[in-house]
Tab-separated table of all heavy atoms in Angstrom:
chain	number	residue	atom	x	y	z
A	209	ALA	N	3.671	-20.675	55.771
A	209	ALA	CA	3.026	-21.380	54.658
A	209	ALA	C	3.128	-20.550	53.378
A	209	ALA	O	3.416	-21.070	52.301
A	209	ALA	CB	1.566	-21.665	54.997
A	295	GLY	N	8.669	0.998	37.395
A	295	GLY	CA	9.359	0.176	38.379
A	295	GLY	C	9.895	0.959	39.557
A	295	GLY	O	10.642	0.432	40.379
A	394	ASP	N	-35.276	-10.902	71.863
A	394	ASP	CA	-36.487	-11.358	71.181
A	394	ASP	C	-37.539	-10.265	71.271
A	394	ASP	O	-38.024	-9.948	72.351
A	394	ASP	CB	-36.957	-12.647	71.865
A	394	ASP	CG	-38.190	-13.224	71.183
A	394	ASP	OD1	-38.782	-12.541	70.320
A	394	ASP	OD2	-38.546	-14.364	71.515
Side-chain angles (χ1 to χ4, degrees):
D394 182 350

